[in-house]
Amino acid sequence: MQMLRVLLVALLLAVSLAACGGSSATSPGNEYGASGGDSTAPSDGVDRSKLAKELYFYNWSDYIDPAVLDQFEAEYGVKVIVDTYDSNEDMLAKVRAGNSGYDIVVPSDYAVQIMIAEGLAAPVDKTLLPNLVHLDPNLLDQYFDKGNAYSIPYMYGITGIAYNTKFFPNGIDSWAAILEPSQVAPFAGKFSMLDDARETPGAALRYIGQSLNSTDPAALARVKEILLAQKPYLAAYNSSDVNRKLASEEYVLAHSWSGSAMQARNGLGDEFSGNPNIAFVIPKEGGMIWMDNMMILKDSPHAYTAHVFMNFLMRPEVAAQNVEYIGYLTPNKDALELLSPEIRELYAQGFAPDEEMYKRLEWAVRNEGTTAFDDLWTEIKGQ
Ligand code: SPD
């Protein structure tokens, strides 16, 4: 009987330790104690005594529903402080400088590769992420982080052209509509290209029949010609408020992320109202598919709390609410069935890829040659 009691106590202790994330030896960050004691944890397994008061989240702009942050604070007493960026390169520059103070950043695929290679990320502790079971296995284990050792998918999306059907009643099917001077001349000052070293050269590369990862010098020279010929007609290189400017009809056309176009169409909470004339297309020459991922920084001051937040965002109800608000695509398979008919209808109208569209989409990868894009982009923007 005594032996049975000892075994039972040992078993309970093991289960409680597993719920807390195991020993400090395998856990990242400086908040993980070695004790594993968890007298404050309710059934969700979160040890409230280990939570920080604040969490610093460096995210893309217009990329989280503020109500989700309020809910997290109400439930866990943690205030999430959000700073925003509009390109992977801006985020990387801040993080590379060190001591950014941020806990979580959201790099896209190729930027995940860069961050892992440069030792900027902390490994994720999957024992603290039970809600990983809700993610679509087809969207895990991607080329940029095999085994998801450092990154967890947040949202994914596609890049194409958003346009106002009042001005383009016959639709758009080619990058020529935004890249050819003869076609954009009537819309001078009323359209934008993304302010992005991979996206904008990538679009021009696809237009000339090349991979958006091509660093062939002749192809890049042609890209430079195309983008410089287009530049006098552009309102701006813009990755920050394309959604608002399309919705208000300051722009009639824009190189755009799918969710930004969806926001222009549907509006964004209390921020601005939508415009029902906004449509989105992946041109026949093809476009980019990408995935943004949550990553805890190597020097994150609050790594335990960061895991709790990431796990919270992977709850199907939370993921569904978030994606309804921001209009991108969730990797959370169990959230999909919770989505409204309205958002599903827009996905079906081209704001999400179908099988045919997938064939025209390409991921951006990082390789030995891809720093050429940074140089090219500096030259184009400087002229
Ligand atoms: N407003 C949020 C935008 C997120 C876009 N991230 C993807 C970039 C892929 N190059």
Side-chain angles (χ1 to χ4, degrees):
M1 194 62 191
Q2 180 63 15
M3 180 59 95
L4 197 64
R5 201 171 296 134
V6 169
L7 278 174
L8 209 66
V9 169
L11 188 68
L12 280 174
L13 197 65
V15 169
S16 146
L17 278 172
C20 293
S23 76
S24 60
T26 55
S27 300
N30 58 9
E31 292 173 300
Y32 295 93
S35 77
D38 191 12
S39 56
T40 55
S43 57
D44 64 2
V46 171
D47 184 345
R48 265 68 176 168
S49 72
K50 289 185 185 170
L51 290 175
K53 292 261 169 300
E54 291 177 338
L55 187 71
Y56 291 84
F57 185 32
Y58 197 29
N59 190 16
W60 298 82
S61 51
D62 297 328
Y63 215 28
I64 192 157
D65 180 355
V68 161
L69 302 175
D70 292 345
Q71 190 187 328
F72 184 71
E73 184 172 1
E75 209 169 311
Y76 291 104
V78 178
K79 182 161 186 57
V80 181
I81 292 147
V82 183
D83 278 349
T84 59
Y85 55 89
D86 291 313
S87 76
N88 285 302
E89 289 65 30
D90 285 356
M91 180 275 291
L92 283 168
K94 191 116 180 204
V95 167
R96 277 179 178 137
N99 296 317
S100 65
Y102 296 121
D103 297 295
I104 303 180
V105 296
V106 191
S108 310
D109 35 69
Y110 74 91
V112 169
Q113 288 182 298
I114 293 173
M115 291 186 67
I116 295 173
E118 296 185 12
L120 298 170
V124 286
D125 181 345
K126 292 190 185 133
T127 65
L128 296 174
L129 302 174
N131 288 333
L132 264 174
V133 294
H134 299 298
L135 299 198
D136 180 347
N138 297 313
L139 296 171
L140 294 169
D141 201 24
Q142 296 282 333
Y143 69 93
F144 49 84
D145 182 16
K146 283 307 219 178
N148 292 94
Y150 293 92
S151 67
I152 302 296
Y154 175 62
M155 293 283 159
Y156 68 107
I158 52 183
T159 312
I161 301 175
Y163 62 97
N164 187 316
T165 52
K166 260 192 342 196
F167 299 87
F168 299 90
N170 300 322
I172 281 177
D173 76 342
S174 167
W175 285 110
I178 200 164
L179 290 175
E180 283 298 334
S182 60
Q183 298 202 33
V184 290
F187 306 111
K190 292 187 169 158
F191 72 100
S192 63
M193 293 294 285
L194 288 169
D195 187 358
D196 193 295
R198 296 302 305 268
E199 292 277 14
T200 296
L205 279 164
R206 291 298 304 210
Y207 178 49
I208 60 172
Q210 299 281 326
S211 158
L212 54 77
N213 292 302
S214 172
T215 52
D216 169 57
L220 294 189
R222 180 73 192 114
V223 162
K224 187 172 167 187
E225 269 173 26
I226 291 171
L227 294 178
L228 288 180
Q230 176 209 42
K231 200 173 169 188
Y233 301 96
L234 269 182
Y237 292 120
N238 183 356
S239 300
S240 60
D241 63 354
V242 174
N243 47 7
R244 288 162 179 80
K245 289 198 156 87
L246 281 166
S248 68
E249 300 195 348
E250 184 173 335
Y251 293 166
V252 299
L253 182 69
H255 179 211
S256 173
W257 293 309
S258 53
S260 187
M262 179 84 98
Q263 292 168 13
R265 166 72 173 251
N266 282 348
L268 189 68
D270 297 335
E271 302 258 335
F272 62 91
S273 310
N275 184 326
N277 300 317
I278 303 302
F280 179 78
V281 66
I282 294 294
K284 62 184 178 201
E285 301 90 354
M288 190 183 285
I289 181 167
W290 44 262
M291 184 183 285
D292 293 333
N293 308 272
M294 300 180 279
M295 205 173 215
I296 300 174
L297 291 180
K298 184 93 168 188
D299 56 8
S300 158
H302 313 113
Y304 179 79
T305 312
H307 280 84
V308 173
F309 182 59
M310 283 160 59
N311 196 51
F312 171 80
L313 291 178
M314 287 190 280
R315 286 185 197 168
E317 323 78 70
V318 172
Q321 178 184 335
N322 200 20
V323 79
E324 281 285 341
Y325 183 89
I326 65 176
Y328 285 86
L329 299 162
T330 177
N332 193 309
K333 63 178 167 46
D334 297 325
L336 294 179
E337 63 207 46
L338 307 176
L339 296 182
S340 67
E342 289 77 16
I343 197 168
R344 288 163 195 253
E345 172 55 27
L346 288 172
Y347 285 158
Q349 286 177 28
F351 288 80
D354 58 15
E355 243 174 77
E356 178 279 322
M357 193 196 288
Y358 264 115
K359 297 185 193 134
R360 286 178 285 134
L361 294 169
E362 190 179 2
W363 295 85
V365 299
R366 164 195 180 260
N367 58 42
E368 338 61 67
T370 46
T371 48
F373 289 110
D374 296 325
D375 300 338
L376 175 69
W377 193 233
T378 306
E379 283 171 37
I380 291 168
K381 286 189 69 176
Q383 290 206 14

